[in-house]
Amino acid sequence: MTTLSTLNKFKKDGTKFTCLTCYDAMFARLMQQAEIDTILIGDSLGMVVQGHDSTLPVTIEDMTYHTANIARSNKQALILADLPFMSYATLNDAIANSRALMQAGAHVIKIEGGSELCEIVTTLTQAGTPTCVHLGLTPQSVNVFGGYKVQGRSEDSADELLADAKAVVEAGAALLVLECVPAKLAQTITQAVDVPVIGIGAGASTDGQVLVMHDMLGMVHGRVPRFVHDFLTDARNTEHSIEGAFALYRQSVREGSFPTAENQFD
Ligand code: KIV
């Protein structure tokens, strides 16, 4: 079974690992067969499962329900679950809602933001709940950003992201997710912290990669982001199945052929 120790060892050894979002039992079983290392029950389910335009309408009850579905169906992957929008605005909310996710079967909870999360990270960690902090393009803040935009392109914002990453790790974060940041900055952050960093639209230097499952199966609603690759179409040359696509994704990340320069931002 994959644990945080496994991911720490992967980072030390330079072994690239995989993460995919997942929301239901059948896909969780296929991911187990394809040996996907970590699963994220992402609040992206607001878009790909519930049909919303953003992650904001997702509730803790939604997240708990989907987390329990996955935890019953995949006994190998490390299970990360998102605390949804405004469910960790206070320390008490963060504690109560993390408890709900952990009791549903999550191993790590993921929260979006920067150094303002330090107190939450320390408190949860001390209470037995490892945290993953999601930095860069944090979709719960889409209205603050004014759209889904690459983050950390100016010198100041890059410095701020690096400082945020160091601060949350210092506070106890066990993992980081970096979304849509320039590849060079992602490399700097990955080398600067001693916890595994998972990237999406952050280039090939992060320790692990994550994609939204529907995206990597070629089911994209609207414009295809440049960091997305359709592994189901690629799998037609080998085992043309969903499990084959998951296995190809794992192989591509492990051997370093995904992501390519075309999937990253400068
Ligand atoms: O909710 C989600 O799917 C995510 C990934 C994009 C990292 O947070």
Side-chain angles (χ1 to χ4, degrees), residues 241-265:
S241 64
I242 289 170
E243 190 188 335
F246 293 161
L248 189 58
Y249 168 66
R250 182 180 189 274
Q251 182 191 330
S252 306
V253 170
R254 272 278 202 278
E255 72 191 16
S257 58
F258 177 81
T260 66
E262 265 141 50
N263 301 121
Q264 71 186 35
F265 301 100

Side-chain angles (χ1 to χ4, degrees), residues 21 23 40 42-44 82 110 112 134 177 179 200 210 212:
T21 68
Y23 320 97
L40 169 65
D43 58 0
S44 51
D82 270 336
K110 179 162 84 59
E112 298 184 4
H134 184 152
V177 164
E179 178 165 354
I200 174 165
V210 59
V212 171

Side-chain angles (χ1 to χ4, degrees), residues 12 14 16 19-20 30 33 53 72 74 84 88 91 103 130 162 173 193 203 230 253 255 262:
K12 207 160 152 256
K16 302 285 182 186
C19 181
L20 284 175
L30 293 178
Q33 282 161 29
D53 291 335
R72 276 191 289 269
N74 187 313
Y88 48 101
L91 195 53
Q103 290 182 338
L162 177 60
V193 297
D230 174 357
V253 170
E255 72 191 16
E262 265 141 50

Side-chain angles (χ1 to χ4, degrees), residues 148-163:
Y148 296 99
K149 298 175 185 163
V150 178
Q151 302 295 307
R153 272 190 160 146
S154 70
E155 210 179 308
D156 282 355
S157 63
D159 289 348
E160 198 180 325
L161 270 176
L162 177 60

Side-chain angles (χ1 to χ4, degrees), residues 47 60 99 103 115 123 141 151 166 170 174 225 238 244-245 249:
M47 280 107 120
I60 188 64
R99 179 172 60 203
Q103 290 182 338
S115 53
T123 304
S141 301
Q151 302 295 307
K166 287 180 177 170
E170 177 76 16
T238 50
Y249 168 66

Side-chain angles (χ1 to χ4, degrees), residues 166-190:
K166 287 180 177 170
V168 294
V169 170
E170 177 76 16
L175 293 173
L176 300 181
V177 164
L178 282 182
E179 178 165 354
C180 290
V181 299
K184 195 95 193 55
L185 174 62
Q187 182 177 32
T188 305
I189 293 175
T190 304

